[in-house]
Amino acid sequence: MLLHYITNTPISVPHSYSAFSSHQSPFHFRKTLPQSSHHPSPLGQLHKHLHVCSGMDAIEVSPKKEVAVGVDASIEEEYVSLSKLYKEFTNMSTIDKAWTYKSPNGKGSHATFSIGQPNLFANKKKKLMLSSFISEDSNGTLNVQWSPFPIEITGASVMVPSPSGKKLLVIRNPENDSPSQFEIWGPLQLEKEIRVPQSVHGSVYVDGWFEGISWSSDESLIAYVAEEPSLCKPTFNDMGYKKDVGPTDKDCNSWKGQGDWEEDWGETYAGKKQPALFVINIDSGDVRAVDGIGRSLSVGQVVWAPTTKGSHQYLVFVGWPSDTRKLGMIYCFNRPCALYAVKAPLFGTEIKENAINDVSVINLSQNTSSAFLPRFTPDGKFLVFLSAESAVDSGAHNATNSLHKIEWNSEGEPSPAKVLDVVPVVMCHEDGCFPGIYSHNALSKPWLSDGSTMIISSIWGSKEVIISVNVLSGKVSRITPSDSNQSWSLLAVDDDNKILAVCSSLIDIPQIKYGSLAKDESQDATWHWQDVSTPTSESHEKVKSLLSSLQFDILKIPVKNVQENLTKGANKPFEAIFVSSKSKHEACDPMIVILHGGPHTSLLSSFSKSSGFLASLGYSLLIVNYRGSLGFGEEALQSLPGKAGLQDVNDVLTAIDHAIDMGLADPSKITVVGGSHGGFLTSHLIGQAPDRFVAAAVRNPVCNLALMVGTTDIPEWCFVESFGSKGLSTYTEAPSPQLLKLFHDKSPISHLPKVKTPTLFLLGAKDLRVPVSNGLQFARALKEKGVEVKVIVFPEDTHAISRPQSDFESFVNIGVWFKKYCKK
């Protein structure tokens, strides 16, 4: 899958958090804060890692003024103005996770939020924790008390509270050859600090996919995924080859060779080759690798199986075959995988002679090609999981998911069981009805108090919604309001049927919501949603003021030239989100067409810093979810593979014509921007429709499939999107000249002679998905034929171009580029 370019969704935080706004004191200081009496927590004792910072601004002596190389002095003021504006957006924090726990007296809940904020100067993302206490009075009115300040956890790779909320795990991954550091925090202090050397394992996976960090029910053991120790490399000295040297032995009179090349998991996983399973005993500090798995599987997403007194403890994990070519993993959900069970290692007095000799891995999901995100029902009777079997079978990197369950054998050894359907793949849905499950994450505790209702976020058309699924009956219900175009993202579910979520739109900054299951005697449960009081920092007021002048709508775009040979779902209207000014003008504002990557992803109605910034410059936005996007049923999605560069291009042009026909756009003032596959579309559009766009911008675009197929970490993507599911059988590491010609003919570069649109290229030099050579070749070729081109290469960025400084420079340049060629 080729990533779309929209940035993270921010969240409003309490007024005390305004210490991070650009309007506050620029001085940085350290301070130990008192523990709040309302929410005792291990977070309050992270004193030695606590920063209270201004975050963005620092006092520095101003150097001699210089004009940046390549910047015309006449437009330097544009850079000044737009940089100041975009900083208002980038300063906003994002909420990444949340956890809730019952208060000791049973009245109300403690909520802990993991928050991120870009630090432009450090070019990193700050990690912070913020606590609150939430309660309801007898009238159902919500009362929220926030801790006075957020706490910055410096150097933390991940933070995971225990199930009870009484302990907090903080992991700090190593730099160079340093050990991994595990910290266990209690209510009053740091209780344990464990250092795990590289000879035991490398970095712990905190990537959100292989990542699996799971506390045991008694909170004495933690299972997790980390990089297996490197294989021994040959050692040489002045005498030649040196024998009998360990993997970590150092000798100033010798040096390590490279050894055999090992394939890694591609984009963003450089150097990550063999994720393996480990368990740490937090009392003794002992770490043990889980036996019996072997190097033929890469593992992830581990959870503890329910415990039965007197029987061995088991771990359940996802395994991906790793003994063949490792194709890129990130954004690619079509990689075959299965659920496995294995005995957990024994510690201390549990170990008996020959007790762990009988270790075998049990495949629990033999009848399906995809199984991930395992979750046990609270009673331990079922193991529930998601499947991307449609993606695996078709070759599309993303598709409509299905939900399944396995009956769990609570007595004796687990064994393969019949996979039962809970929610099947939705092929074609009726208007307004459930389009299928589109989700690749799940809470560690997603259950309501009935023990059978699972709460998940899912894409529904051009919106994200929250749904409930009864895993016994298979009933699916949308529990967020159906009469709103806003998007909702799930944060946490507690034992009292309370939900924390984030609600936002392209014109509304994110708002934390608190959902309660209404006491209704009717068969269909109803949910009551309240705002969680979160006074915004001053820096948000400018953004809210800008957004208040905007409006948006989700347009239904009829398919042009409906074809009889297409399925019903493929002929249904697709959607585009239109953002515009509330003010009425005689002339239409200039319009930016925004295109997502993938192609099997979606751009949603949720808040986006980059889209908000571009709309605030006076542009209308047309955000097109062409056929093939997620959220519209499997038939619509599967209509695109084999027609990339044709059907999706026509859909975008149809959406533009629709906006013009409605009087929403001036055909002489249209620009286009896209990243990855969106860059592929943008490059196609300026070649196939050279008179439609006054300017274009592309981020890591696919411009030449014939060049990409031999250099990308996902070569099979080129085959599937070019030839459809037949591409799976055609796929080869050495394409013939005939295949290479077909790839060239389906690429934007085949339309190069017609291109005349000024184009901005934004490229990541460390992109393994669409290597930088693809964009550079196209840019050089355009420049050769006299088309105005600007190229910015970010030396340390991968496919997403997401490092704070790179993101900032990218969108400021997009704004300046479009203002240069598309005046209001």
Side-chain angles (χ1 to χ4, degrees):
M1 176 184 291
L2 304 178
L3 176 70
H4 62 74
Y5 79 99
I6 294 299
T7 55
N8 286 338
T9 301
I11 180 68
S12 304
V13 294
H15 184 72
S16 61
Y17 196 53
S18 64
F20 295 88
S21 84
S22 61
H23 301 288
Q24 304 304 311
S25 167
F27 297 102
H28 294 244
F29 61 95
R30 292 176 182 263
K31 182 179 178 183
T32 300
L33 300 179
Q35 181 74 27
S36 169
S37 60
H38 290 291
H39 23 74
S41 162
L43 299 174
Q45 298 303 318
L46 290 169
H47 297 321
K48 70 176 182 178
H49 301 294
L50 173 64
H51 288 185
V52 181
C53 310
S54 67
M56 289 292 103
D57 291 336
I59 293 178
E60 297 179 359
V61 177
S62 299
K64 181 180 178 181
K65 183 178 180 181
E66 296 179 357
V67 177
V69 176
V71 176
D72 190 312
S74 64
I75 63 169
E76 188 178 16
E77 286 305 313
E78 291 282 12
Y79 280 99
V80 173
S81 173
L82 270 61
S83 295
K84 184 177 180 180
L85 178 61
Y86 193 39
K87 193 174 180 183
E88 296 285 351
F89 286 88
T90 57
N91 277 0
M92 297 177 72
S93 56
T94 61
I95 185 161
D96 301 323
K97 295 178 181 177
W99 301 269
T100 58
Y101 318 95
K102 284 184 178 180
S103 65
N105 62 11
K107 297 179 180 180
S109 300
H110 298 293
T112 301
F113 298 88
S114 174
I115 293 171
Q117 184 184 29
N119 185 334
L120 284 175
F121 292 112
N123 204 18
K124 293 180 180 179
K125 185 178 179 181
K126 290 176 177 289
K127 284 187 172 68
L128 307 109
M129 301 291 270
L130 185 65
S131 297
S132 68
F133 181 76
I134 304 174
S135 61
E136 292 179 277
D137 62 21
S138 58
N139 297 320
T141 303
L142 205 60
N143 299 307
V144 184
Q145 296 171 294
W146 291 92
S147 56
F149 297 99
I151 299 170
E152 182 183 3
I153 317 297
T154 57
S157 301
V158 70
M159 298 163 283
V160 184
S162 66
S164 68
K166 295 179 180 179
K167 298 176 183 178
L168 175 73
L169 168 68
V170 177
I171 297 177
R172 304 178 194 277
N173 270 327
E175 295 181 5
N176 303 320
D177 295 329
S178 304
S180 299
Q181 187 171 320
F182 290 69
E183 297 171 2
I184 307 298
W185 290 83
L188 299 176
Q189 61 188 4
L190 175 64
E191 295 185 346
K192 197 82 173 184
E193 190 170 355
I194 305 166
R195 296 177 183 272
V196 183
Q198 296 263 338
S199 58
V200 176
H201 63 65
S203 294
V204 176
Y205 278 77
V206 293
D207 59 305
W209 189 239
F210 286 117
E211 177 183 340
I213 301 173
S214 181
W215 289 79
S216 62
S217 58
D218 65 359
E219 301 188 357
S220 66
L221 304 173
I222 300 172
Y224 61 96
V225 178
E227 181 69 10
E228 193 170 90
S230 300
L231 298 176
C232 290
K233 295 183 177 181
T235 303
F236 302 92
N237 58 21
D238 56 357
M239 300 296 291
Y241 182 77
K242 188 175 181 181
K243 297 191 295 183
D244 302 325
V245 179
T248 59
D249 290 353
K250 294 182 179 180
D251 181 351
C252 61
N253 295 316
S254 63
W255 73 92
K256 292 284 186 183
Q258 294 302 311
D260 292 350
W261 175 73
E262 281 189 272
E263 199 154 34
D264 58 30
W265 281 105
E267 170 68 17
T268 74
Y269 288 107
K272 297 296 182 71
K273 303 164 186 176
Q274 192 68 39
L277 193 52
F278 298 85
V279 176
I280 187 169
N281 184 310
I282 66 172
D283 296 322
S284 66
D286 290 343
V287 176
R288 298 191 184 279
V290 177
D291 292 319
I293 298 174
R295 292 180 62 86
S296 63
L297 286 178
S298 286
V299 308
Q301 302 178 16
V302 61
V303 295
W304 289 89
T307 57
T308 303
K309 189 174 182 181
S311 65
H312 202 108
Q313 282 191 294
Y314 279 85
L315 297 166
V316 171
F317 64 92
V318 180
W320 292 265
S322 58
D323 51 358
T324 57
R325 165 75 192 265
K326 289 189 178 86
L327 296 168
M329 179 63 75
I330 193 168
Y331 322 126
C332 302
F333 303 101
N334 62 328
R335 306 298 178 225
C337 55
L339 296 185
Y340 297 87
V342 67
K343 287 182 179 179
L346 301 175
F347 288 86
T349 57
E350 297 177 318
I351 300 177
K352 300 177 183 178
E353 189 176 355
N354 300 322
I356 58 173
N357 286 348
D358 182 22
V359 176
S360 59
V361 174
I362 304 158
N363 187 332
L364 302 171
S365 57
Q366 295 180 356
N367 298 322
T368 180
S369 58
S370 173
F372 57 91
L373 292 179
R375 297 291 184 268
F376 283 95
T377 54
D379 60 11
K381 291 182 179 179
F382 291 101
L383 174 59
V384 181
F385 62 92
L386 283 167
S387 173
E389 191 166 16
S390 292
V392 174
D393 294 347
S394 67
H397 277 193
N398 207 345
T400 313
N401 291 335
S402 51
L403 188 68
H404 306 271
K405 64 184 179 184
I406 296 172
E407 289 191 39
W408 185 255
N409 179 16
S410 59
E411 298 180 3
E413 185 175 285
S415 60
K418 183 179 180 181
V419 174
L420 305 172
D421 293 342
V422 177
V423 180
V425 170
V426 175
M427 299 304 295
C428 179
H429 62 288
E430 296 301 321
D431 292 347
C433 296
F434 174 60
I437 293 178
Y438 300 91
S439 180
H440 297 98
N441 55 67
L443 300 179
S444 58
K445 297 192 295 183
W447 305 101
L448 295 185
S449 60
D450 63 6
S452 59
T453 301
M454 188 178 192
I455 307 297
I456 57 176
S457 294
S458 184
I459 297 173
W460 189 309
S462 296
K463 298 171 283 189
E464 185 176 20
V465 303
I466 301 175
I467 61 175
S468 66
V469 181
N470 187 300
V471 299
L472 300 180
S473 67
K475 181 181 179 180
V476 178
S477 301
R478 177 174 172 174
I479 66 172
T480 45
S482 58
D483 57 352
S484 169
N485 282 336
Q486 293 179 312
S487 281
W488 294 68
S489 180
L490 179 65
L491 290 177
V493 179
D494 72 13
D495 298 331
D496 292 327
N497 297 332
K498 310 296 184 183
I499 293 177
L500 281 177
V502 173
C503 174
S504 72
S505 80
L506 287 157
I507 62 172
D508 299 296
I509 67 171
Q511 168 68 50
I512 299 176
K513 296 280 190 175
Y514 184 80
S516 304
L517 185 59
K519 296 178 180 178
D520 192 342
E521 300 301 324
S522 64
Q523 186 175 1
D524 292 328
T526 57
W527 285 82
H528 175 58
W529 296 96
Q530 300 182 69
D531 290 345
V532 174
S533 176
T534 54
T536 58
S537 67
E538 293 179 16
S539 63
H540 294 174
E541 295 303 321
K542 176 67 176 293
V543 171
K544 289 197 294 184
S545 176
L546 291 167
L547 297 177
S548 67
S549 65
L550 303 176
Q551 59 188 353
F552 84 101
D553 194 14
I554 298 177
L555 309 177
K556 298 285 186 180
I557 314 294
V559 175
K560 275 189 179 179
N561 304 318
V562 174
Q563 300 176 27
E564 292 184 1
N565 63 335
L566 287 179
T567 60
K568 178 183 176 182
N571 278 319
K572 295 185 70 171
F574 57 96
E575 291 182 353
I577 307 172
F578 186 72
V579 183
S580 62
S581 171
K582 291 178 181 177
S583 303
K584 301 297 182 182
H585 307 288
E586 290 185 9
C588 295
D589 288 332
M591 185 173 76
I592 301 174
V593 180
I594 300 179
L595 305 174
H596 66 72
H600 309 299
T601 59
S602 291
L603 286 177
L604 304 176
S605 65
S606 52
F607 182 74
S608 159
K609 295 180 183 182
S610 54
S611 293
F613 164 67
L614 294 175
S616 298
L617 298 179
Y619 295 95
S620 297
L621 309 180
L622 185 68
I623 304 168
V624 185
N625 284 320
Y626 45 85
R627 284 174 292 167
S629 304
L630 300 181
F632 299 92
E634 187 67 3
E635 288 183 353
L637 186 144
Q638 292 295 347
S639 69
L640 181 56
K643 302 172 188 172
L646 293 173
Q647 177 177 293
D648 43 5
V649 168
N650 289 332
D651 282 355
V652 175
L653 293 173
T654 298
I656 293 171
D657 289 340
H658 186 83
I660 294 170
D661 292 343
M662 292 180 66
L664 302 176
D666 182 339
S668 67
K669 295 189 292 185
I670 298 176
T671 63
V672 60
V673 59
S676 196
H677 186 86
F680 172 83
L681 283 179
T682 299
S683 303
H684 258 301
L685 285 161
I686 60 177
Q688 294 189 39
D691 297 317
R692 301 295 299 268
F693 307 97
V694 296
V698 289
R699 289 162 57 94
N700 286 329
V702 178
C703 301
N704 185 352
L705 290 164
L707 175 61
M708 177 180 169
V709 72
T711 57
T712 179
D713 67 331
I714 54 166
E716 94 294 353
W717 179 91
C718 301
F719 285 83
V720 171
E721 296 303 331
S722 297
F723 310 123
S725 58
K726 295 178 182 177
L728 289 176
S729 58
T730 311
Y731 169 62
T732 173
E733 296 284 355
S736 66
Q738 291 78 17
L739 277 174
L740 292 175
K741 183 180 184 306
L742 288 172
F743 283 134
H744 180 276
D745 293 345
K746 290 176 177 286
S747 300
I749 201 166
S750 67
H751 300 282
L752 180 79
K754 297 178 286 183
V755 178
K756 54 187 178 184
T757 306
T759 305
L760 169 66
F761 288 80
L762 302 157
L763 309 174
K766 291 188 175 180
D767 187 353
L768 300 179
R769 184 60 41 96
V770 186
V772 67
S773 55
N774 229 268
L776 286 177
Q777 182 194 43
F778 199 64
R780 287 166 175 155
L782 289 179
K783 191 173 183 179
E784 182 181 55
K785 70 185 294 290
V787 177
E788 187 160 356
V789 167
K790 179 181 176 72
V791 179
I792 302 176
V793 176
F794 301 97
E796 299 301 319
D797 273 85
T798 56
H799 191 55
I801 313 183
S802 58
R803 287 154 57 88
Q805 292 176 1
S806 304
D807 170 87
F808 189 85
E809 186 175 356
S810 290
F811 284 102
V812 168
N813 271 280
I814 289 171
V816 171
W817 188 256
F818 286 170
K819 292 196 84 171
K820 178 180 179 180
Y821 294 101
C822 194
K823 301 292 184 182
K824 282 179 65 66

